[in-house]
Amino acid sequence: MINEAVADPTRVTIALQLFDENGKHDRDKLGLGDANKITIKDDKGNVVGSMYDMGYTSDFYYMVDFFSDPLKTDKITIEGSIGSLGHKGAKP
């Protein structure tokens, strides 16, 4: 669930929650890397960034990306490619 998303020409921030079968947020379920990526695309479909987990809270994943140069587009797309969810050492 994403309840909050903020974007401007220099950054994108998302508060993301993943819930377990009991309805509790599971902070350790998503590991970003080769299997799981959240990319940012401009209005032409070009990848302009990739979200990373900044941490800082146990209530949600604090996902951000800061752009080295301000984006020159009025529209972006956040695209998630999730291949595996699970805790380290657990069966995904």
Side-chain angles (χ1 to χ4, degrees):
M1 176 171 49
I2 298 174
N3 280 333
E4 184 178 336
V6 177
D8 65 37
T10 62
R11 69 178 186 255
V12 176
T13 303
I14 295 174
L16 169 69
Q17 289 182 298
L18 294 174
F19 297 96
D20 64 16
E21 59 276 355
N22 298 316
K24 183 178 176 192
H25 172 62
D26 193 339
R27 182 66 174 82
D28 299 317
K29 210 165 188 78
L30 177 65
L32 296 176
D34 291 333
N36 302 322
K37 295 179 183 167
I38 302 173
T39 56
I40 304 164
K41 296 182 178 182
D42 65 13
D43 57 344
K44 295 178 178 73
N46 300 312
V47 175
V48 294
S50 182
M51 305 294 290
Y52 62 93
D53 181 12
M54 224 159 146
Y56 296 138
T57 178
S58 60
D59 296 328
F60 54 85
Y61 292 92
Y62 181 38
M63 311 297 295
V64 298
D65 190 22
F66 296 96
F67 307 117
S68 56
D69 294 315
L71 294 183
K72 294 178 173 58
T73 182
D74 290 331
K75 179 183 175 185
I76 61 169
T77 301
I78 311 287
E79 184 176 285
S81 174
I82 308 301
S84 177
L85 293 175
H87 303 280
K88 291 179 184 173
K91 183 178 178 181

